[in-house]
Amino acid sequence: MKEPNRRVVQRRSDGGWEVRKPGADRASAVTSTQAKGILRARTILGNDGGGELQVRSLKGTIRAQDTIAPGADPRSSKG
């Protein structure tokens, strides 16, 4: 079974917020606020066929999780 597409929004040591794919060497995006990070992660997941979004608090615990539906579907036909 294929592993689900995931992104995590978490605090960086420099005070910014990063969008990171688990196991990745570097962040997909870095933003100034958590809210901007969440919006960016939703966009990335939607464009990448959907997946799971996990938001971590300042302490590093899971604050919220959401499933993102596919966004930019290249097929215009139904089915």
Side-chain angles (χ1 to χ4, degrees):
M1 185 174 220
K2 186 179 174 187
E3 189 71 25
N5 191 14
R6 296 178 193 256
R7 292 296 185 281
V8 178
V9 177
Q10 59 192 7
R11 183 81 176 214
R12 293 170 51 101
S13 60
D14 66 4
W17 291 86
E18 68 182 8
V19 177
R20 183 181 292 265
K21 187 173 187 174
D25 293 333
R26 60 190 181 105
S28 303
V30 177
T31 63
S32 58
T33 66
Q34 187 181 47
K36 289 178 183 177
I38 292 168
L39 288 175
R40 183 67 182 128
R42 287 180 181 280
T43 301
I44 290 170
L45 282 169
N47 290 340
D48 199 25
E52 297 295 319
L53 169 61
Q54 188 178 79
V55 181
R56 296 191 177 259
S57 69
L58 291 172
K59 295 178 183 178
T61 59
I62 297 172
R63 185 174 77 84
Q65 285 185 292
D66 197 6
T67 301
I68 309 301
D73 189 0
R75 291 177 30 163
S76 60
S77 63
K78 294 183 179 182

